[in-house]
Short mmCIF file of all heavy atoms in Angstrom, two decimals:
data_model
loop_
_atom_site.label_atom_id
_atom_site.label_comp_id
_atom_site.label_asym_id
_atom_site.label_seq_id
_atom_site.Cartn_x
_atom_site.Cartn_y
_atom_site.Cartn_z
N ALA A 191 -97.48 87.57 256.48
CA ALA A 191 -98.09 88.86 256.82
C ALA A 191 -97.17 90.06 256.70
O ALA A 191 -97.55 91.12 256.22
CB ALA A 191 -98.65 88.78 258.26
N THR A 255 -92.76 106.46 246.18
CA THR A 255 -92.02 105.20 246.17
C THR A 255 -92.51 104.30 247.31
O THR A 255 -93.25 104.75 248.21
CB THR A 255 -90.51 105.43 246.32
OG1 THR A 255 -90.26 106.09 247.57
CG2 THR A 255 -89.98 106.28 245.17
N CYS A 335 -96.16 73.42 243.48
CA CYS A 335 -96.12 74.63 244.32
C CYS A 335 -96.97 74.36 245.55
O CYS A 335 -97.96 75.04 245.82
CB CYS A 335 -96.64 75.84 243.55
SG CYS A 335 -95.76 76.20 242.02
N LEU A 569 -104.73 54.68 245.34
CA LEU A 569 -105.86 55.19 246.13
C LEU A 569 -106.77 54.06 246.59
O LEU A 569 -107.22 54.03 247.74
CB LEU A 569 -106.66 56.20 245.31
CG LEU A 569 -106.02 57.58 245.11
CD1 LEU A 569 -106.86 58.43 244.16
CD2 LEU A 569 -105.84 58.30 246.44
N GLU A 670 -71.85 73.52 268.81
CA GLU A 670 -71.13 74.49 267.99
C GLU A 670 -71.28 74.18 266.50
O GLU A 670 -71.49 73.03 266.11
CB GLU A 670 -69.63 74.49 268.35
CG GLU A 670 -69.33 74.80 269.80
CD GLU A 670 -69.77 76.17 270.22
OE1 GLU A 670 -69.70 77.09 269.37
OE2 GLU A 670 -70.21 76.35 271.38
N PHE A 677 -71.42 69.81 253.74
CA PHE A 677 -72.34 69.03 252.92
C PHE A 677 -73.78 69.48 253.11
O PHE A 677 -74.13 70.14 254.08
CB PHE A 677 -72.22 67.53 253.23
CG PHE A 677 -72.57 67.16 254.66
CD1 PHE A 677 -73.88 67.02 255.06
CD2 PHE A 677 -71.57 66.93 255.60
CE1 PHE A 677 -74.20 66.68 256.37
CE2 PHE A 677 -71.86 66.58 256.91
CZ PHE A 677 -73.20 66.46 257.29
#
Side-chain angles (χ1 to χ4, degrees):
T255 61
C335 302
L569 286 175
E670 302 297 326
F677 62 80

